[in-house]
Amino acid sequence: MKKLVRVPQSDHRDDGRPGVRGRQGLAALPPLSIYVHVPWCVHKCPYCDFNSHERTGELPEEDYLRALQADLEQALPDVWGRPVSTVFFGGGTPSLLSADAIDRIIGMLRSMLNLPPDVEITLEANPGTAEAGRFQGYAQAGVNRISLGIQSFDDDKLKRLGRIHDAAQARAAIGMAQRAVDRVNLDLMFALPQQTLAECERDVREAISFGTGHLSLYHLTLEPNTVFAKYPPRLPDDELSATMQDQAAELAESAGFERYEVSAYARPGQICQHNLNYWQFGDYLGIGPGAHSKISFQDRITRQARARMPDAWMRLVLEGEGRHVVERRELDHQDLGFEFMLNALRLKQGVEGGLFIERTGLSLMSVLPAMRRAVDRGLLEPGLERIRATAQGWRFLNDLQMEFLA
């Protein structure tokens, strides 16, 4: 699951009043996705701010699976009977888990939840942990989409990024993934330490050459509480970074990819349905250490987060009574307007205006002043039938999103 706003969360209200002031309630619940967090990795990359923890030796698979089942069992009342549209294994490095563990998790999900037979099931993998037999085992377990954290095909850049794989392993992993499943995504980063425009172009061209159905092209950013934030490397300036992004977009689109989200490019029929559900303000249940959830009810919309540290999460979840859920919050109307726009405006085509009403239970009048300000600044297209950023608004997306924060 790529990055979302993380806010303190709460599920319940004791006074029986409707959960969000001014809401009419939801006529129908949105699609539901499942996110499974695998917290371990071989090496913590210096740019990474995700909930990942270095682990040497054998993973505690049995303890993890036992805790994961308890986590899901305690969450079932909130999502009972709802069909699941997608499943996503993120991390950390999910490909550290054995194929048997993934098979057991998917079996657990199918036994407790309403998973259609053809549901999209994505697993993130690190090329440094790729094994052909393991990838085939994932596919046999039900994984039908693999997302590979390539980042670069340049050994020098991979070393600077602290990656545990080299370019040859990246190329081999792509072949393994393509032989195992029909849908493969490649994660690539640009504006890397001391990267030139020509080096960025070579990376993008090579990524395209493998013929995968999906590309995710991310700008390297210095996130707080990371090694790179404390010891910043020398990065391309803003002008060069923008040129790299424009060049990458042009190369991908000329090769038949549609840029449907700020960082996401897909060939026909290859859009990532899991991430699309996030951007369209759908629901998701996150299980595992540090996982976040957004769950809608007819009269309220809630967020929650699990304990971040793997050992603490496993201990708390096995104690029962929801002790592993350490943050809970019920969204109010200001939260809803901002969070909806934070996600939906990332989509190139935006969303229909009616989707705002459907997913938040609010009238568009609640965000009309902010929309008017954004239109006046040339950041948002006028009209209520479709909420979509202008080309200028998409380029300065943070400025556009901030209009809805007040």
Side-chain angles (χ1 to χ4, degrees):
M1 182 178 77
K2 303 307 174 192
K3 294 178 65 175
L4 297 172
V5 161
R6 300 174 183 174
V7 290
Q9 315 182 13
S10 158
D11 262 13
H12 303 291
R13 194 178 195 125
D14 295 326
D15 59 9
R17 290 180 290 138
V20 180
R21 184 182 301 172
R23 291 182 67 242
Q24 300 301 309
L26 301 182
L29 297 180
L32 173 68
S33 294
I34 302 296
Y35 174 78
V36 181
H37 191 72
V38 182
W40 300 288
C41 59
V42 176
H43 172 71
K44 181 82 169 180
C45 296
Y47 58 84
C48 177
D49 71 334
F50 294 131
N51 183 36
S52 59
H53 305 268
E54 290 187 13
R55 178 87 187 194
T56 56
E58 293 288 327
L59 296 185
E61 277 194 356
E62 288 300 325
D63 291 342
Y64 172 74
L65 292 176
R66 191 179 309 113
L68 204 64
Q69 178 167 333
D71 195 343
L72 180 57
E73 287 173 347
Q74 292 172 56
L76 280 179
D78 286 345
V79 297
W80 187 255
R82 293 179 60 179
V84 172
S85 60
T86 65
V87 176
F88 196 102
F89 290 87
T93 307
S95 53
L96 289 176
L97 290 180
S98 67
D100 177 66
I102 295 297
D103 183 53
R104 290 167 63 185
I105 294 170
I106 293 175
M108 176 188 71
L109 296 176
R110 290 196 182 280
S111 69
M112 296 191 199
L113 298 167
N114 182 6
L115 265 69
D118 59 348
V119 64
E120 177 189 278
I121 302 179
T122 301
L123 182 137
E124 289 184 333
N126 187 323
T129 62
E131 298 176 10
R134 183 172 289 189
F135 275 19
Q136 290 293 339
Y138 295 152
Q140 290 170 9
V143 171
N144 50 32
R145 185 174 182 272
I146 291 177
S147 180
L148 287 170
I150 302 297
Q151 314 314 355
S152 177
F153 293 98
D154 184 315
D155 283 339
D156 175 69
K157 299 300 180 289
L158 289 170
K159 185 176 180 180
R160 293 178 187 276
L161 290 172
R163 303 295 288 171
I164 64 170
H165 70 273
D166 58 24
Q169 289 173 309
R171 297 178 185 110
I174 295 170
M176 294 177 202
Q178 288 177 310
R179 287 189 290 273
V181 298
D182 293 331
R183 302 181 64 198
V184 176
N185 169 63
L186 304 183
D187 276 356
L188 206 68
M189 301 176 79
F190 63 91
L192 305 180
Q194 301 185 30
Q195 188 177 41
T196 66
L197 184 61
E199 289 171 334
C200 176
E201 180 181 355
R202 281 199 297 272
D203 267 353
V204 177
R205 287 189 182 278
E206 181 158 4
I208 290 170
S209 72
F210 289 95
T212 63
H214 198 283
L215 294 175
S216 298
L217 304 178
Y218 298 106
H219 187 299
L220 174 62
T221 55
L222 304 186
E223 301 289 352
N225 303 314
T226 62
V227 173
F228 271 4
K230 187 174 182 179
Y231 305 104
R234 184 159 62 86
L235 302 178
D237 60 27
D238 290 345
E239 183 176 352
L240 178 55
S241 297
T243 302
M244 288 177 174
Q245 185 173 40
D246 290 344
Q247 179 192 68
E250 182 178 338
L251 289 170
E253 290 171 347
S254 65
F257 287 88
E258 176 193 358
R259 186 182 183 187
Y260 67 98
E261 188 267 346
V262 173
S263 303
Y265 299 74
R267 298 187 192 274
Q270 294 279 332
I271 286 176
C272 177
Q273 297 301 316
H274 185 85
N275 286 343
L276 187 63
N277 190 41
Y278 290 150
W279 296 321
Q280 293 179 340
F281 211 53
D283 278 359
Y284 49 94
L285 170 64
I287 56 175
H292 287 242
S293 301
K294 168 190 169 279
I295 305 295
S296 299
F297 302 87
Q298 195 281 327
D299 63 344
R300 67 192 188 279
I301 297 175
T302 66
R303 284 193 177 276
Q304 54 182 245
R306 270 76 174 147
R308 287 176 56 85
M309 300 303 293
D311 289 345
W313 166 77
M314 285 190 281
R315 174 176 53 81
L316 291 169
V317 74
L318 292 174
E319 289 178 0
E321 300 182 13
R323 291 187 177 92
H324 62 295
V325 180
V326 295
E327 299 179 43
R328 304 176 188 270
R329 190 161 82 94
E330 189 174 306
L331 301 182
D332 63 24
H333 69 281
Q334 289 183 328
D335 295 327
L336 286 170
F338 173 64
E339 290 196 25
F340 180 93
M341 295 299 181
L342 188 72
N343 288 284
L345 291 172
R346 293 182 63 89
L347 293 168
K348 187 172 185 179
Q349 297 303 320
V351 296
E352 293 182 0
L355 190 70
F356 178 86
I357 302 168
E358 179 182 326
R359 297 287 159 88
T360 67
L362 298 171
S363 165
L364 277 169
M365 296 301 104
S366 64
V367 290
L368 190 58
M371 292 181 69
R372 284 174 172 164
R373 289 194 303 269
V375 169
D376 290 343
R377 294 180 62 190
L379 302 176
L380 191 71
E381 292 187 357
L384 299 179
E385 290 188 1
R386 177 160 291 275
I387 303 169
R388 178 167 54 189
T390 63
Q392 181 80 348
W394 218 40
R395 193 170 189 88
F396 297 96
L397 187 58
N398 284 346
D399 290 346
L400 172 55
Q401 291 166 332
M402 288 304 105
E403 287 288 355
F404 296 90
L405 182 58

